[in-house]
Amino acid sequence: MAKQKRQKPEVGSPKSEVKTSTVVGSNTTIKLPSWIPYLFIFLFTVTLYSNTLWNKYAIDDTIVLTDNKFTKKGFGGIKDHFTHDMFEGFFGERGAKLVSGGRYRPLSMVSLTIEYEISRRIKGDKRGEITDKNIIMGDQDPYLFPFLNHAVNILLFGLTCILLFHILQLIIPKKYSIKTPVGELGLAFFATMLYAAHPMHTEAVSNVKGRDEVMCMLFSLLSLLATIKYVKTKNVLHLVWGTFIFFVALMSKENAITFFAVIPLTYYFFTNAKTKDYVMVLGAYLVPVAIFLFLRSQFTQSGITQDSPEILNNPFLLATTSQRYATIIYTFLIYIKLLIFPHPLTHDYYFNQIPYVDFGDITFVLSLLINGALVIYALMNLKKKSIASYAILFYFTTFSIASNLLFTVGVLMNERFIYMSSLGFCILVSYLLITYIKNQKAVLASFVIILSLYSVKTFTRNYDWKDSFTLFRVDSHHSLNSAKIQTSVGGDLTKAAESDIAALRDSGMIKKFIKDLNPNVSNEELTFINNLPDSSIRNLFLDSSIVHLSEAVRIYTTHSNAWLLMGNALYKRYHNLPQVIPIYEKAAAYRVGGYYDASFNLGIVYNESNQPLLSKNNLLKAYDAKPEQVECRYLLAQVYAKLNQPDSVDFWLKKGNELRPLLAGDYYQVGTGFGKVAGNLPMAIVYLNKAIELEPKIELYYEDLGVAYGLSGQFDLAIATAQKLIAINPKYPAAYMNLSVSYRNKGNKEMADQYLAKYNELRASLGK
């Protein structure tokens, strides 16, 4: 007897579409429009992420938006995004070599640029063209609009889910469905709902930086749809627009290149495509791949073989070859665990959150067995064209580029890395439940339970992405061994110590900060801490910062940023200059290629401790690292004044004026440097007079100018200056002391005693 040939479902056949729904157990058929499931999926997705609309910016949003000089130039920065590595807008030229392979994602970056241009126009920005001189960096920029950025992310994710549902309906046979109280629901619906609700996607959708992931998946799926339509209709127009969309996907994020394998995989499992169809589609899609790779090679400097010397960008820097690959395989097991049971979640898997393992470790062996079994099963059932095989192969194919197996991606693992490949997991779970659970009510109940748990986790996890500090506090409990998150928490605690403590207290944020950092603290303890004086709370934050930063350098001894932030915290807590100098020196020494912040801070500390030569040396290093920093230029002018080098002072004041107009304070600092340290009173007088010309109401300027006149023997000018000061503020004690000293030096004891008495009277009235 001849074997009966298995019939494949015709792609796009009406049989695979849900056109009506029948109420089970009733004679009534509810004729629902075919768009109802699409609307339901979209509304479900939007609702699930609606609480992110009021979030601010978190972690890598600084890289792509709030501190990216290309994005912050609005339309003027679009060209730069197309002609530079993604990281250059934030890190400068060194960003092109920061991670192996570089990053070229201009379209996702341009989308944020356009949104910034829109938001600044809505908010009435009068700057016109944005240049290096009027650009506003940081998340305090009044023209930022996080609501818009998050809304676009939600919209794009919602569109992704309804597109996914449409594609799955086209390719998956209708027989994989169950009867429900609202009619038959198929695998396409359940897989899409699981994908929409999966908590692992919060990092991509809730974080504005995840725009590249969301856009890449959306346009990759759209390019897949074009190929499905082509094989159904043989209309070349579908290949034309599909080729363009595939290029858009690639320009959003490199991961789209995996769909060059997903497309033939989908053809094989779900269509009757002929060899000619494969050749036509892959030949057409090879064009955007070639163009993208060419552009990428032109505008990124790092080759795939060039690994970063920084362990936070190269997680295998300290690993042996066997440890490297064993640890990579081990992360595969962690990903599977989080896909099945997504708790706890964390954004931070940096060194040393996942310690290295070797081939002899049980975790490696277990992961190898599980993942190997999945691959073997998929290959063994390849000829059967099982949906389970497709789901597994889709998972590993799309995951390959982010897995670290092919090349280092900069971090051992990240939850957003699974954003695309998790679709394979959702298809597989839906297929297994529908196929192997015979009781359809049990199938539906299982889906409802899983979907409910995922949805609750996703919705609550969204709140953790409110801002960086919230995320750091929450995730620090789940990434205890990560040097990076300990550094981040410590740095933000220092910032909190410098903020308005009274406002934090009134808003309830102090209690929230403490509770997040120590979930076991009692309400009574929280109330006690909340009622402490501002200075005590400030010191509490700084002490906690020092603890976290000490833990960071324990985990990663040569972590330059942790040493820098520890120096900052200790400086603000104790203001002990000899204590922080060696810490800043460690920060500078451990950063390959120079460290602006460490060198600049050393310049500040040495300047404060009146060691101008050491200050100058460090500031020049800082200037070499970041010549665009105006503060460094003006501080160099102050230091050269202390070194009594007028020509150098004039040079650096002019350099500073290139980026920012000279302020009265700049002249004042130079003047006091000449006068109080270098002893060059004539130059001190010149610059103090320049300060007064710009700000004629500042008492301190007159006080120091009067002292300079007096020390140089110009007593009449000292007296005239003190009298101007009294005209501005009659209750300024130092003015009367200067008058007393000047008259005494002129030999007028009567006037000297008179002004000395006035000085003592004022001090007594002021309680001094």
Side-chain angles (χ1 to χ4, degrees), residues 667-683:
Y667 285 128
Y668 172 76
Q669 293 295 339
V670 168
T672 55
F674 273 122
K676 295 181 179 181
V677 180
N680 188 338
L681 294 174
M683 292 303 299

Side-chain angles (χ1 to χ4, degrees), residues 578-766:
Q579 180 188 29
V580 300
I581 286 173
I583 292 176
Y584 283 139
E585 287 178 341
K586 285 183 178 181
Y590 291 144
R591 174 66 63 88
V592 177
Y595 194 2
Y596 171 84
D597 292 334
S599 297
F600 183 73
N601 286 3
L602 279 169
I604 291 175
V605 173
Y606 280 125
N607 185 43
E608 281 192 23
S609 57
N610 283 324
Q611 300 181 69
L613 184 59
L614 290 172
S615 177
K616 179 203 74 172
N617 293 339
N618 281 282
L619 289 172
L620 288 174
K621 291 179 183 178
Y623 178 76
D624 287 341
K626 288 188 177 182
E628 72 277 7
Q629 295 296 317
V630 65
E631 294 83 0
C632 185
R633 299 182 181 196
Y634 280 123
L635 188 55
L636 274 164
Q638 298 172 29
V639 170
Y640 275 111
K642 292 182 177 181
L643 291 169
N644 199 22
Q645 298 181 29
D647 290 342
S648 295
V649 170
D650 184 60
F651 172 81
W652 286 106
L653 287 177
K654 288 178 179 177
K655 292 291 289 184
N657 194 51
E658 292 174 359
L659 300 179
R660 168 176 66 74
L662 277 157
L663 304 176
D666 301 320
Y667 285 128
Y668 172 76
Q669 293 295 339
V670 168
T672 55
F674 273 122
K676 295 181 179 181
V677 180
N680 188 338
L681 294 174
M683 292 303 299
I685 290 169
V686 169
Y687 282 101
L688 289 171
N689 272 307
K690 288 183 177 182
I692 289 172
E693 287 176 15
L694 289 179
E695 291 285 353
K697 299 293 185 181
I698 306 297
E699 295 101 328
L700 184 61
Y701 296 173
Y702 289 93
E703 177 186 350
D704 286 347
L705 179 60
V707 171
Y709 278 133
L711 291 173
S712 61
Q714 302 179 63
F715 303 124
D716 289 335
L717 288 173
I719 291 169
T721 302
Q723 288 171 341
K724 290 179 182 178
L725 177 52
I726 291 171
I728 295 170
N729 185 358
K731 295 184 178 181
Y732 197 83
Y736 297 96
M737 175 57 75
N738 286 353
L739 282 169
S740 176
V741 172
S742 295
Y743 275 113
R744 197 173 302 282
N745 285 328
K746 283 173 64 79
N748 190 337
K749 183 176 182 302
E750 180 181 353
M751 292 296 290
D753 290 343
Q754 178 182 333
Y755 282 114
L756 180 60
K758 182 65 175 176
Y759 167 77
N760 290 327
E761 178 186 335
L762 272 176
R763 284 182 60 84
S765 68
L766 295 172

Side-chain angles (χ1 to χ4, degrees), residues 199-200 202 338 341-347 349 415 457 461 464 474-475 478:
M200 289 280 279
T202 51
L338 288 172
F341 185 72
H343 179 81
L345 297 178
T346 178
H347 75 283
Y349 293 92
E415 288 160 12
K457 179 63 178 180
R461 177 61 176 168
D464 297 341
V474 173
D475 287 2
H478 310 312

Side-chain angles (χ1 to χ4, degrees), residues 49 197-203 342 345 415 453-454 457-458 461:
Y49 282 93
H198 204 291
M200 289 280 279
H201 299 159
T202 51
E203 183 169 354
L345 297 178
E415 288 160 12
L453 291 174
Y454 281 3
K457 179 63 178 180
T458 294
R461 177 61 176 168

Side-chain angles (χ1 to χ4, degrees), residues 348-564:
D348 196 309
Y349 293 92
Y350 285 87
F351 183 84
N352 187 35
Q353 176 59 21
I354 302 175
Y356 297 141
V357 299
D358 217 323
F359 291 142
D361 287 274
I362 186 63
T363 50
F364 160 75
V365 175
L366 183 61
S367 182
L368 184 65
L369 289 174
I370 292 174
N371 285 278
L374 287 171
V375 173
I376 292 170
Y377 172 86
L379 294 176
M380 288 179 64
N381 288 274
L382 195 62
K383 289 185 177 181
K384 296 180 181 178
K385 301 188 177 181
S386 161
I387 291 179
S389 296
Y390 175 79
I392 293 168
L393 293 174
F394 180 97
Y395 173 83
F396 284 107
T397 299
T398 53
F399 179 52
S400 60
I401 197 169
S403 67
N404 280 304
L405 270 179
L406 303 179
F407 45 80
T408 303
V409 296
V411 63
L412 198 55
M413 64 174 288
N414 250 330
E415 288 160 12
R416 69 175 181 271
F417 291 171
I418 211 77
Y419 175 77
M420 181 179 281
S421 50
S422 61
L423 172 58
F425 169 81
C426 296
I427 294 174
L428 179 62
V429 169
S430 302
Y431 170 79
L432 293 177
L433 289 176
I434 290 174
T435 304
Y436 292 102
I437 298 180
K438 302 305 180 183
N439 187 314
Q440 296 197 354
K441 290 184 178 179
V443 174
L444 181 61
S446 299
F447 274 120
V448 170
I449 292 171
I450 295 171
L451 195 62
S452 298
L453 291 174
Y454 281 3
S455 299
V456 170
K457 179 63 178 180
T458 294
F459 194 79
T460 55
R461 177 61 176 168
N462 289 338
Y463 288 113
D464 297 341
W465 286 90
K466 176 184 177 183
D467 53 43
S468 292
F469 193 23
T470 301
L471 190 67
F472 295 153
R473 296 194 310 269
V474 173
D475 287 2
S476 63
H477 299 292
H478 310 312
S479 297
L480 293 172
N481 295 318
S482 167
K484 188 173 185 291
I485 201 168
Q486 297 297 334
T487 302
S488 299
V489 173
D492 275 16
L493 280 167
T494 301
K495 291 179 185 177
E498 294 298 299
S499 60
D500 187 339
I501 299 297
L504 291 177
R505 181 186 292 108
D506 293 341
S507 65
M509 293 308 296
I510 289 177
K511 287 185 175 181
K512 181 165 179 54
F513 289 173
I514 301 300
K515 187 69 174 177
D516 285 345
L517 291 167
N518 184 5
N520 296 322
V521 67
S522 67
N523 290 331
E524 292 77 12
E525 290 172 317
L526 285 175
T527 301
F528 174 78
I529 293 171
N530 194 59
N531 292 330
L532 289 172
D534 290 3
S535 59
S536 298
I537 292 176
R538 184 170 288 110
N539 289 339
L540 180 66
F541 284 164
L542 289 172
D543 289 339
S544 182
S545 170
I546 293 166
V547 169
H548 283 282
L549 291 166
S550 298
E551 181 66 6
V553 297
R554 181 197 66 79
I555 297 169
Y556 178 18
T557 309
T558 58
H559 188 7
S560 57
N561 192 42
W563 285 110
L564 174 84

